[in-house]
Amino acid sequence: MSGREFYAQDASARASWRLAVLMGANSRTYKFALGQALLEFGRAGREGVPVAEFAAAYSLGLVRHLARDPQAPHVQERGEKDFLTVAEQESAATLESGRPTERLLAAAVRSMPVMVMQKFHNLRGDTAVPHTFYELAGRGSQRTVRLTPDLLRLAQSEHEAALSAELEARWSIVESSFAAGVGRSLLEEGVAVDWDTLKITDKRRRRSVTGIIEATAGFQHGRCLICGDLLTSSEAIAVDHVFPFSLMRRFAGVGSWHGPDLDALWNLAPAHATCNGAKSDRLPTQTELAGLAARNEAVMNSPHPLRRTLQLSLKSALPRQNAASWAQFLQEVQAAI
């Protein structure tokens, strides 16, 4: 599913934000630090933020993530003036004081407007998301980041918590692909699912990457796959096996299950806990299959490793078959059952 098709399903500023955060290319992780700062100031209702104040929040968020994982592939060569080089060198002092050092802040003020702020709204192929969330105004010390009405509405809406969680999940996924030795394993093997914690994990290191719900809900526009209504923080959310896992147990008992792994990411979708409970072990409807196919296609248009995980499933999960699309794959699973 292309970005255009994803947006057509929900022509809203919320969908534009998800396009930028979930489906944009990531050679570094600056856009996530920028998005985090945008939501932070948006929640506070700030219509205009001096660039220096905005850069402080931006750089502090990035340095906090530096303590966990790399913010760019280790193969990239960086000079002494590169912002990430400065951030790494100033991270200890920044974390100790709880605010960026003067050197780090100066580097952020210098690089942010001409780098990440020029690219946040961009997608692949020289296209941009339909809505914008900020603009730069003024010059020099008077330069200001102006938050658009769309950003302010999003940041102060009931959707903000989900959007913030999705951003954090995408940040963690991309960091994991950058970590030494991990990017290769994720690309070769994909990710696994830990049902004890409802986390996505790196198969080789058995290290938690992020939550299943946070990583996948945005690709469903934050909606329950079963009823289609919005998932909100006021309701319990479950991870549904679209094709019920009981099928594997039932057929495995007589040694006749020859279908794909139903515990894999391609078959898992966030849903209201009440909808999931009422669905129980029934087979999915055609509407649910169409929604799952669209969700998986959207993930496949996003950066690895989730993209790679689904590519591997599409290629090899059905014995002796190679489905051309997720719609075909799901119909073949349905027919096999």
Side-chain angles (χ1 to χ4, degrees):
M1 174 185 288
S2 68
R4 186 185 301 274
E5 292 168 323
F6 181 82
Y7 181 75
Q9 293 185 330
D10 177 12
S12 67
R14 195 169 57 245
S16 286
W17 176 271
R18 285 178 165 130
L19 276 172
V21 170
L22 301 180
M23 299 175 74
N26 305 112
S27 61
R28 294 191 172 184
T29 61
Y30 297 149
K31 75 155 57 173
F32 306 121
L34 180 68
Q36 186 181 72
L38 287 169
L39 291 176
E40 176 184 331
F41 287 113
R43 282 194 300 270
R46 299 282 298 277
E47 295 183 9
V49 184
V51 163
E53 184 181 356
F54 195 96
Y58 161 80
S59 55
L60 184 58
L62 192 136
V63 163
R64 285 171 174 161
H65 269 256
L66 269 175
R68 305 204 310 250
D69 271 315
Q71 302 304 298
H74 282 304
V75 296
Q76 288 190 357
E77 294 292 333
R78 303 199 304 266
E80 281 299 307
K81 293 185 178 180
D82 184 275
F83 178 67
L84 275 184
T85 300
V86 175
E88 289 172 350
Q89 294 173 350
E90 300 296 316
S91 61
T94 294
L95 292 172
E96 183 177 355
S97 67
R99 61 179 182 272
T101 64
E102 289 186 11
R103 180 175 176 236
L104 176 58
L105 182 59
V109 169
R110 180 177 64 250
S111 66
M112 187 182 68
V114 297
M115 185 179 57
V116 65
M117 297 196 82
Q118 299 295 326
K119 299 179 180 179
F120 183 85
H121 296 112
N122 294 345
L123 298 174
R124 294 181 181 90
D126 295 325
T127 60
V129 298
H131 297 78
T132 57
F133 301 105
Y134 59 86
E135 60 182 16
L136 283 167
R139 293 180 178 276
S141 61
Q142 303 302 312
R143 209 167 195 189
T144 299
V145 181
R146 295 192 183 279
L147 307 188
T148 65
D150 283 327
L151 186 280
L152 291 169
R153 281 191 290 268
L154 278 182
Q156 296 175 43
S157 73
E158 62 179 347
H159 309 293
E160 188 278 332
L163 296 176
S164 182
E166 290 165 17
L167 183 148
E168 187 70 25
R170 173 55 67 187
W171 199 341
S172 296
I173 290 167
V174 173
E175 284 174 339
S176 293
S177 73
F178 287 166
V182 177
R184 187 177 302 110
S185 72
L186 290 176
L187 284 175
E188 291 172 353
E189 304 170 20
V191 298
V193 173
D194 183 344
W195 277 95
D196 291 333
T197 62
L198 289 184
K199 297 283 187 180
I200 291 171
T201 62
D202 165 37
K203 287 183 178 180
R204 184 170 298 181
R205 293 195 303 174
R206 300 189 181 278
R207 174 185 180 274
S208 175
V209 175
T210 191
I212 300 171
I213 293 169
E214 294 82 0
T216 59
F219 294 105
Q220 300 171 198
H221 293 282
R223 295 182 180 276
C224 171
L225 189 79
I226 299 170
C227 75
D229 290 341
L230 287 170
L231 301 167
T232 66
S233 58
S234 62
E235 301 171 279
I237 302 173
V239 176
D240 176 48
H241 285 83
V242 182
F243 285 99
F245 185 72
S246 60
L247 290 169
M248 291 182 69
R249 291 197 301 266
R250 187 187 315 157
F251 287 100
V254 293
S256 59
W257 176 253
H258 303 296
D261 180 7
L262 300 182
D263 242 352
L265 190 65
W266 68 266
N267 189 46
L268 305 177
H272 295 120
T274 52
C275 293
N276 186 49
K279 176 176 177 272
S280 187
D281 288 339
R282 71 163 171 79
L283 291 174
T285 66
Q286 287 301 310
T287 298
E288 290 162 1
L289 288 180
L292 181 62
R295 193 285 305 273
N296 286 349
E297 293 286 356
V299 174
M300 296 247 312
N301 197 45
S302 71
H304 61 265
L306 294 191
R307 175 184 184 180
R308 180 56 175 165
T309 300
L310 292 188
Q311 286 174 335
L312 292 170
S313 294
L314 193 60
K315 179 179 179 181
S316 60
L318 285 171
R320 297 177 299 280
Q321 298 183 57
N322 190 2
S325 68
W326 278 105
Q328 180 187 345
F329 177 97
L330 298 176
Q331 290 301 325
E332 289 176 357
V333 176
Q334 182 90 310
I337 294 170

